[in-house]
């Protein structure tokens, strides 16, 4: 199965992770209870990428149908919109900073049916309450290998793949 790196809750009692049968397909969100060594799949929730615990114990995930970043309680209840993309865009992947104060997300749009010539992406920075702090210009191509510097939430690293035709 295709799984992403799990996220540990602030109190250390739960892990959240995603699991898909095949790469590129929407993934289930699973919650593992450390004390009981049991896990469950959150019913009705499919995500595009990983899921993370925020600083308040909520799970953040990108809804696979709408491209909206949502939050929910650790038991899968109280699902709400955390951040919506701007019109004509969708969110794809996102990461939470080590101090859980910032979120960086990939916002994309397709101008044509050809992924390689009409797929535009930009990075968007959010505060931990979902307020949009800023965005990069959009580029043809895709952002990849996004990560925060391990010892700081002030430094963010990324790798950008440019799509070139011909």
């Amino acid at each position: 199965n295709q799984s992403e790196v799990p996220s540990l809750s602030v109190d250390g009692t739960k892990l959240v992770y995603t699991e898909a049968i095949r790469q590129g397909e929407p993934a289930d969100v699973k919650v593992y209870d450390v004390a009981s060594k049991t896990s469950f799949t959150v019913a009705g929730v499919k995500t595009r990428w990983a899921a993370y615990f925020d600083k308040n114990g909520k799970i953040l995930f990108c809804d696979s149908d709408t491209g909206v970043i949502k939050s929910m309680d650790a038991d899968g209840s109280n699902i709400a919109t955390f951040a919506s993309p701007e019109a004509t865009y969708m969110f794809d992947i996102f990461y939470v900073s080590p101090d859980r104060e910032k979120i960086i997300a990939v916002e994309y749009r397709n101008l044509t049916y050809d992924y390689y010539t009409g797929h535009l992406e930009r990075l968007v920075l959010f505060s931990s309450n979902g307020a949009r702090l800023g965005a990069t210009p959009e580029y043809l191509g895709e952002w990849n290998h996004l990560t925060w510097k391990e010892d700081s939430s002030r430094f963010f690293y990324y790798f950008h793949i440019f799509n070139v035709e011909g």
Side-chain angles (χ1 to χ4, degrees), residues 43-146:
V45 172
K46 293 282 190 181
T47 186
R48 293 175 172 265
W49 192 252
Y52 303 98
F53 274 105
D54 71 5
K55 66 181 186 174
N56 300 315
K58 296 275 191 178
I59 295 172
L60 299 177
F61 67 96
C62 185
D63 184 275
S64 65
D65 292 328
T66 63
V68 171
I69 298 175
K70 295 187 175 181
S71 68
M72 67 181 166
D73 292 339
D75 63 2
S77 64
N78 298 318
I79 297 174
T81 297
F82 174 79
S84 295
E86 290 185 350
T88 74
Y89 286 89
M90 292 184 81
F91 288 122
D92 191 12
I93 59 174
F94 73 101
Y95 289 87
V96 176
S97 65
D99 65 2
R100 303 175 199 229
E101 293 293 329
K102 297 177 195 78
I103 292 110
I104 191 85
V106 173
E107 194 174 49
Y108 76 93
R109 66 185 175 132
N110 291 323
L111 298 178
T112 67
Y113 290 105
D114 185 345
Y115 180 86
Y116 295 101
T117 60
H119 182 85
L120 299 170
E121 292 187 349
R122 62 185 176 191
L123 295 176
V124 181
L125 182 66
F126 293 95
S127 67
S128 61
N129 66 2
R132 186 180 283 249
L133 301 175
T136 66
E138 64 181 8
Y139 292 98
L140 179 65
E142 59 187 299
W143 297 97
N144 204 345
H145 302 290
L146 305 173

Side-chain angles (χ1 to χ4, degrees), residues 18-35:
T18 61
E19 187 175 77
I21 294 173
R22 287 181 213 63
Q23 187 172 355
E25 290 186 1
D28 291 322
V29 175
K30 298 192 169 206
V31 179
Y32 177 81
D33 183 81
V34 175

